[in-house]
């Protein structure tokens, strides 16, 4: 039997760890269009927090369990899958540039990229580059061999092609909001590398996940020729692409740029859906319990009056 058929599934990206770093990375890779799966079960740091009070966007803080539910819901909303299994090993078969990832439940998947985003010791990576990936560290008075946080560079890239590290990352793992930012940054570096592999030149390889209002495409920027001019200026003459491939990449870049355009009605619809999704994850009863009773009565009365008018 062909070895590829012995795996449960193929993915573009496997992320090990479903905390702030891993979920943030998963949101970016999935939104770019990469088939992404997040494995989340193990010794995580966030559940040790009594209550999360310093994560931007929650003025009075947020319950840790609710925060984790929101993170996982976000990952799944953009098309990723969260699997509650512990990754036991990541290895690369001889002659295969892809990774084989195996979990404690016996699941085996293959992926082009792996993002390590688990807070624990990283022993699941041992088969990839053992001599330089681990170091002796003192932990709670005992000397242990643990993953070296200096193994990846500042952008999460490693000497193992296709392997990125968002956590452990030293002080970048110390606070949830910083860990999330680091996860997003590492994912953007992964996407940039993938775009380079596909031929995008230096000036246009970075990807910006940014929706734009229609007003951003008014005037000259509503003209594809203006975008072509911009693309060619950014790339310059220092590239080795033939004309056909250059045109293909240029048009793909412009297509993606125009694909970020949103009308006022689309923005309003997304805003409404965003609120509904937030309530859905938190639970309607929980949200209603947080609203003042008088405010609820006034809202119901006004709604009834509007319906009768």
């Amino acid at each position: 039997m062909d070895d590829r058929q012995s795996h449960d599934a193929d993915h573009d990206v496997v992320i090990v760890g479903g905390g702030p770093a891993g979920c943030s990375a998963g949101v970016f890779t999935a939104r770019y269009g990469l088939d992404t799966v997040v494995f989340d079960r193990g010794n995580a740091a966030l559940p040790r927090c009594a209550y999360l009070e310093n994560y931007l966007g929650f003025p009075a803080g947020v319950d840790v369990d609710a925060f984790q539910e929101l993170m996982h819901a976000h990952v799944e909303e953009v098309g990723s899958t969260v699997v509650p299994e512990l990754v036991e090993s990541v290895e690369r078969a001889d002659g295969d540039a892809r990774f084989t990832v195996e979990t404690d439940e016996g699941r085996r998947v293959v992926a082009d990229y792996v993002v390590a985003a688990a807070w624990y010791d990283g022993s699941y990576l041992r088969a990839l580059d053992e001599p330089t990936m681990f170091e002796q560290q003192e932990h709670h008075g005992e000397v242990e061999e643990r993953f070296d946080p200096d193994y990846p560079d500042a952008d999460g890239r490693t000497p193992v092609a296709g392997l990125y590290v968002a956590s452990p990352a030293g002080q970048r793992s110390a606070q949830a909001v910083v860990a999330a930012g680091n996860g997003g940054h590492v994912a953007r570096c992964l996407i940039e590398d993938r775009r380079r592999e596909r031929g995008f030149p230096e000036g246009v390889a970075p990807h910006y996940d940014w929706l734009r209002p229609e007003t951003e495409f008014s005037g000259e920027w509503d003209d594809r020729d203006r975008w072509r001019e911009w693309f060619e200026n950014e790339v310059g003459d220092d590239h080795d692409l033939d004309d056909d491939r250059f045109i293909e990449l240029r048009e793909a870049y412009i297509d993606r740029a125009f694909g970020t355009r949103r009308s006022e009605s689309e923005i309003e619809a997304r805003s409404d859906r965003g609120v509904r999704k937030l309530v859905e994850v938190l639970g309607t009863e929980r949200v209603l319990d947080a609203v003042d009773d008088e405010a609820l009565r006034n809202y119901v009365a006004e709604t009834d009056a509007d319906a009768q008018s």
Side-chain angles (χ1 to χ4, degrees):
M1 181 174 66
D2 180 72
D3 183 66
R4 189 183 180 100
Q5 295 176 338
S6 69
H7 296 94
D8 295 324
D10 288 349
H11 301 280
D12 294 319
V13 182
V14 162
I15 297 175
V16 184
C23 286
S24 181
V27 166
F28 274 83
T29 57
R31 282 177 56 82
Y32 186 72
L34 300 180
D35 184 320
T36 301
V37 60
V38 178
F39 289 103
D40 182 45
R41 202 179 87 198
N43 184 15
L46 188 58
R48 300 181 182 185
C49 176
Y51 187 75
L52 185 57
E53 293 189 322
N54 60 0
Y55 200 99
L56 189 64
F58 297 95
V62 60
D63 173 76
V64 171
D65 289 341
F67 180 65
Q68 290 183 305
E69 289 177 18
L70 289 167
M71 288 194 300
H72 289 178
H74 195 168
V75 170
E76 293 184 335
E77 175 73 13
V78 297
S80 295
T81 303
V82 179
V83 180
E85 295 179 16
L86 177 70
V87 170
E88 291 193 330
S89 67
V90 176
E91 58 185 21
R92 180 172 273 162
D94 292 340
D96 193 343
R98 299 173 303 159
F99 298 95
T100 301
V101 180
E102 187 162 358
T103 75
D104 61 338
E105 300 291 334
R107 186 191 303 264
R108 299 180 74 222
V109 302
V110 294
D112 295 321
Y113 306 95
V114 168
V115 178
W119 177 79
Y120 52 96
D121 63 8
S123 58
Y124 61 94
L125 298 170
R126 193 174 298 279
L128 292 177
D129 194 15
E130 182 176 353
T132 58
M133 194 179 288
F134 296 86
E135 65 175 6
Q136 297 293 319
Q137 297 180 8
E138 184 175 340
H139 187 65
H140 297 310
E142 296 183 4
V143 177
E144 301 175 354
E145 187 177 53
R146 300 174 68 86
F147 183 82
D148 181 0
D150 293 326
Y151 180 74
D153 66 14
D155 297 318
R157 296 181 174 96
T158 74
V160 178
L163 174 66
Y164 297 78
V165 177
S167 182
Q171 289 303 307
R172 293 187 182 184
S173 300
Q175 300 283 286
V177 68
V178 180
N182 189 52
H185 175 73
V186 171
R188 289 192 68 241
C189 291
L190 183 159
I191 293 167
E192 180 177 342
D193 292 346
R194 182 182 174 89
R195 287 164 65 85
R196 292 182 196 278
E197 291 168 5
R198 280 150 181 72
F200 280 96
E202 180 73 24
V204 292
H207 170 66
Y208 299 91
D209 190 345
W210 187 266
L211 297 180
R212 300 175 174 93
E214 280 188 321
T215 53
E216 291 290 310
F217 291 86
S218 61
E220 62 177 339
W221 292 105
D222 194 36
D223 185 350
R224 289 183 70 94
D225 283 340
R226 179 65 182 91
W227 281 89
R228 293 183 180 109
E229 178 185 347
W230 176 89
F231 184 94
E232 291 166 7
N233 286 337
E234 289 295 308
V235 172
D237 297 325
D238 188 20
H239 65 82
D240 56 1
L241 299 169
D242 62 42
D243 290 344
D244 289 342
R245 182 57 175 160
F246 180 86
I247 292 172
E248 180 183 359
L249 292 174
R250 183 191 66 194
E251 297 307 304
Y253 188 100
I254 298 171
D255 287 343
R256 186 177 283 273
F258 274 84
T260 67
R261 178 165 55 181
R262 297 293 182 270
S263 66
E264 288 187 12
S265 61
E266 287 175 314
I267 294 169
E268 183 177 356
R270 283 173 179 251
S271 297
D272 290 343
R273 188 174 188 283
V275 173
R276 290 197 301 271
K277 187 66 178 180
L278 182 63
V279 173
E280 176 187 324
V281 174
L282 292 176
T284 304
E285 290 186 5
R286 192 173 186 180
V287 173
L288 290 175
D289 284 343
V291 180
D292 180 76
D293 289 344
E294 184 177 353
L296 281 175
R297 285 193 293 269
N298 291 337
Y299 175 78
V300 172
E302 290 173 6
T303 302
D304 289 343
D306 290 340
Q308 294 172 11
S309 61

